[in-house]
Amino acid sequence: MTSVGGTEMVDWKLAVATATRLVRPGPEVSRDEARAVVAELRRHARASEEHVRGFTRMALAERSGDGTPVLVVDRAGWIKANVAGFRAVLGPLLAKMQDRRAGVPGGAVLGAVGGKVTGVELGMLLSFLASRVLGQYETFAPITRDLPGSPDGGGRLLLVAPNIVHVERELDVDPHDFRLWVCLHEETHRTQFSAVPWLRDHIEGEIQTFLAETEVDPATLLERVREAAQSLAGGRPPEEGRSIVELVQTPGQREILARLTAVMSLLEGHADYVMDGVGPQVVPSVTEIREKFQKRRASGAGRLDAALRKLLGLDAKLRQYRDGERFVRAVVDEVGMDGFNRVWTSPNTLPTKSEIAKPADWVARVHGRTDA
């Protein structure tokens, strides 16, 4: 990362330390219980591979193999992994902002202070998110001493054990069924990227193009992070109810974001479709789990939670699950699983944002059918 006067735009170590200090403790479990949960999640992750690949008919790419690691982590482990990912993805943008700041009188001094302030604020946001994520396929996962990654430069799969235990208790569902259900969703994401070799590079290219078009000055961008942190701390509500992304994007970025939204809707909706499609065969209580989980997902955890979700754009993510699953279901019903899998042929066969809302348009474009 480019630095000015020995400082960075974000003090990443401070972000990790702050988030780790502020994150809420997980549910109370004995050491033996914790070991049993970790062992079961690892077994379910392995079992999910066969279930997902059999249902989706997605074969691993030749170069991918089975090298993607599955890490069962606590909340602190999730924080460290995501800071590493943010640092890698945001590197070009922060370097650009840092170069701009270098020409400002006193920029180095401002950087020393600003990097620490931003580190604290980022840590506050991560502490909020770290208690909510059940699992995550890390697409951009730099390998560190504590966090192994795929040897071919791919991602890694994280399962956040305390959060899974917390939710299964909150929903009062069968814990063994719930753990497998979560693993099916996350394994679908791993299969998507391991079976479609161009997907990771395509998404990374879109993200980097989006970031390259960012013309907002550093002070304004950091103010958006500060705004999110203040909401988390009980301060003023988000400006006009818009998310951070919406507040800083340019017209060109809106086009890129529309494409990214479509891709993410596809990936999340596909994972939801698969976990429910496989579920009845291997998760006896899948209907109860889905019903209770959907209610929890939609309701959030109060006004503060709802405000911060809106600011961070998490409400959009919830819509992605719903809209994407509806798209996948409609296409599979019309052209079957093999017909749906043509979506993975190339970037040109990915659905557009409008096609996510109108699956028949995608079928007509890709399959040349107008009777959908």
Side-chain angles (χ1 to χ4, degrees):
M1 181 79 66
T2 305
S3 63
V4 176
T7 64
E8 294 182 333
M9 292 290 294
V10 180
D11 189 327
W12 299 104
K13 289 184 179 179
L14 185 57
V16 171
T18 300
T20 303
R21 185 175 70 253
L22 294 179
V23 71
R24 292 181 297 180
E28 291 187 10
V29 294
S30 69
R31 180 167 297 184
D32 287 343
E33 287 175 315
R35 287 173 177 166
V37 170
V38 170
E40 184 172 21
L41 286 173
R42 287 176 176 157
R43 290 196 304 272
H44 284 332
R46 288 193 296 270
S48 295
E49 293 182 37
E50 182 177 352
H51 295 316
V52 169
R53 291 169 193 169
F55 182 81
T56 63
R57 303 178 193 171
M58 296 177 70
L60 287 180
E62 191 172 314
R63 69 175 180 86
S64 297
D66 291 307
T68 306
V70 177
L71 306 181
V72 181
V73 298
D74 57 12
R75 291 171 177 175
W78 181 88
I79 289 167
K80 291 177 182 176
N82 276 267
V83 166
F86 287 157
R87 190 170 187 173
V89 172
L90 295 177
L93 172 63
L94 295 182
K96 175 182 176 181
M97 294 169 64
Q98 202 136 9
D99 288 342
R100 181 179 299 180
R101 190 180 63 189
V104 177
V109 176
L110 291 173
V113 176
K116 293 188 179 301
V117 170
T118 307
V120 169
E121 292 166 344
L122 177 59
M124 293 175 67
L125 295 178
L126 288 171
S127 72
F128 170 84
L129 296 172
S131 62
R132 286 158 172 77
V133 176
L134 301 182
Q136 174 184 357
Y137 180 82
E138 271 204 298
T139 314
F140 312 106
I143 298 175
T144 68
R145 182 179 60 185
D146 301 324
L147 294 164
S150 174
D152 63 2
R156 55 178 162 245
L157 185 62
L158 305 180
L159 296 168
V160 190
N163 295 350
I164 293 173
V165 172
H166 172 78
V167 173
E168 69 193 24
R169 290 178 178 178
E170 181 183 281
L171 298 181
D172 190 25
V173 294
D174 182 280
H176 308 294
D177 283 3
F178 184 74
R179 293 166 195 174
L180 177 55
W181 189 70
V182 171
C183 287
L184 288 170
H185 182 101
E186 302 308 330
E187 174 58 34
T188 302
H189 286 317
R190 180 164 71 154
T191 298
Q192 289 163 349
F193 284 91
S194 59
V196 186
W198 54 263
L199 186 58
R200 179 184 185 275
D201 290 342
H202 172 71
I203 292 177
E204 182 176 21
E206 292 278 58
I207 291 173
Q208 292 305 329
T209 302
F210 181 92
L211 295 177
E213 293 198 9
T214 298
E215 295 300 335
V216 66
D217 65 275
T220 302
L221 184 60
L222 298 183
E223 172 60 24
R224 303 314 182 193
V225 177
R226 187 169 296 113
E227 185 174 318
Q230 289 172 344
S231 292
L232 177 58
R236 58 189 172 84
E239 177 188 342
E240 300 179 15
R242 293 183 293 169
S243 72
I244 292 175
V245 172
E246 291 171 323
L247 285 165
V248 301
Q249 65 185 252
T250 65
Q253 287 175 315
R254 278 193 285 273
E255 295 181 8
I256 300 170
L257 189 62
R259 295 195 297 268
L260 282 171
T261 298
V263 173
M264 299 313 296
S265 296
L266 170 69
L267 299 181
E268 296 295 356
H270 184 234
D272 266 13
Y273 177 80
V274 171
M275 71 195 297
D276 287 345
V278 174
Q281 304 167 30
V282 296
V283 182
S285 59
V286 64
T287 302
E288 177 192 4
I289 290 173
R290 165 57 74 187
E291 181 179 350
K292 290 183 175 180
F293 191 77
Q294 287 286 62
K295 289 181 179 178
R296 180 184 185 276
R297 180 187 275 177
S299 64
R303 294 180 62 187
L304 176 59
D305 182 85
L308 190 58
R309 287 194 318 180
K310 175 64 177 178
L311 181 63
L312 296 176
L314 299 183
D315 279 351
K317 186 173 180 65
L318 297 183
R319 290 193 297 273
Q320 287 170 6
Y321 287 108
R322 182 191 65 225
D323 298 343
E325 194 275 342
R326 188 179 299 133
F327 169 85
V328 175
R329 185 174 302 279
V331 172
V332 173
D333 286 348
E334 179 63 27
V335 297
M337 185 63 74
D338 290 335
F340 165 79
N341 281 340
R342 288 184 62 178
V343 77
W344 311 117
T345 304
S346 75
N348 292 331
T349 56
L350 291 172
T352 64
K353 189 175 180 181
S354 64
E355 288 172 342
I356 288 288
K358 295 181 179 180
D361 290 351
W362 181 88
V363 172
R365 178 170 67 87
V366 175
H367 288 269
R369 295 174 59 173
T370 58
D371 57 345

